[in-house]
């Protein structure tokens, strides 16, 4: 079964540093997402991306976050200046629209630890 | 999207059927019921979804009441690997497919050996 691949699986970074989390969505999917889950909390939506632009973003997704699809296969989340509270699991997901409604496929996540 | 209510936790004996309830009393006519699960800290895994008819796949069965205000996910023969948090999510159908998923706190299902 096709998978969404995320790298790295773990990332430790110092506060204030920039990090890039990478995802390879399923090849024929058209919509891409980032979600995050702070330890012990709910899975939260960050941003959705379609046709090379952001289609929706949450209030969490402020100016320190950005996404891009640089080469038609990778989908990246950049955090410009990390804060301690950015420590979380970050999940990438993709979906192909249509009827009947499809389902999201999630990657296994990147555990980001900011120290 | 309609809000869902699930019990916070449930136990089930290994080999027995696990029945996980979900209430979605404000569901709209075009909203589907989706079930996902999250094993430990892995990414959410799709299980099944339905609109109004009962559905079955290789993982589970989904029973939706006639008024669509509640549903039950059935894992017919639970194994230890089914221990996870199970999320019931209601999502509108759209050919655009860009509606985000809104996760609640789910039901933590523990399979007892």
């Amino acid at each position: 079964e096709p998978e969404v691949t995320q790298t790295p699986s773990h990332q430790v970074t110092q506060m204030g540093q920039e990090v890039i989390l990478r995802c390879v969505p399923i090849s024929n999917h058209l919509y891409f997402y980032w979600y995050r889950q702070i330890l012990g909390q709910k899975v939260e939506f960050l941003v959705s991306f379609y046709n090379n632009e952001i289609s929706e973003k949450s209030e969490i997704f402020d100016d320190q976050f950005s996404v891009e699809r640089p080469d038609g296969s990778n989908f990246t989340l950049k955090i410009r200046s990390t804060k301690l509270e950015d420590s979380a699991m970050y999940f990438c997901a993709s979906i192909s629209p249509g009827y009947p409604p499809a389902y999201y496929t999630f990657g296994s996540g990147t555990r980001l630890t900011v120290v | 999207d309609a809000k869902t209510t699930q019990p916070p936790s449930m136990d089930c004996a290994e080999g027995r059927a696990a029945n996980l309830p979900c209430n979605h009393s404000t569901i709209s006519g075009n909203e589907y019921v989706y079930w996902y699960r999250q094993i430990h800290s892995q990414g959410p895994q799709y299980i099944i979804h339905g609109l109004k008819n009962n559905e079955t796949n290789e993982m589970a069965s989904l029973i939706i009441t006639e008024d669509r205000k509640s549903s039950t996910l059935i894992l017919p023969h639970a194994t230890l690997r089914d221990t996870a948090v199970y999320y019931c999510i209601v999502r509108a159908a759209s050919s655009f497919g860009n509606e985000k998923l809104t996760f609640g706190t789910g039901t933590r299902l523990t399979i007892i050996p």
Side-chain angles (χ1 to χ4, degrees), chain A residues 27-38:
Chain A
S27 61
N28 63 346
H29 284 186
L30 301 177
Y31 289 90
F32 314 109
Y33 304 81
W34 285 100
Y35 288 77
R36 81 171 185 188
Q37 186 175 33
I38 295 171

Side-chain angles (χ1 to χ4, degrees), chain A residues 29-67:
Chain A
H29 284 186
L30 301 177
Y31 289 90
F32 314 109
Y33 304 81
W34 285 100
Y35 288 77
R36 81 171 185 188
Q37 186 175 33
I38 295 171
L39 185 64
Q41 298 187 23
K42 297 179 187 179
V43 178
E44 301 174 290
F45 166 77
L46 289 178
V47 65
S48 60
F49 191 86
Y50 170 70
N51 201 24
N52 284 320
E53 61 183 27
I54 291 173
S55 51
E56 185 179 356
K57 60 183 180 180
S58 72
E59 58 202 25
I60 303 168
F61 195 88
D62 60 22
D63 291 344
Q64 70 162 340
F65 291 93
S66 62
V67 290

Side-chain angles (χ1 to χ4, degrees), chain B residues 7-12 17-21 73 84 107-112:
Chain B
S9 64
M10 292 181 64
D11 292 340
C12 179
N19 295 274
L20 291 90
L73 177 75
T107 296
R108 181 173 298 277
L109 176 67
T110 302
I111 306 302
I112 310 296

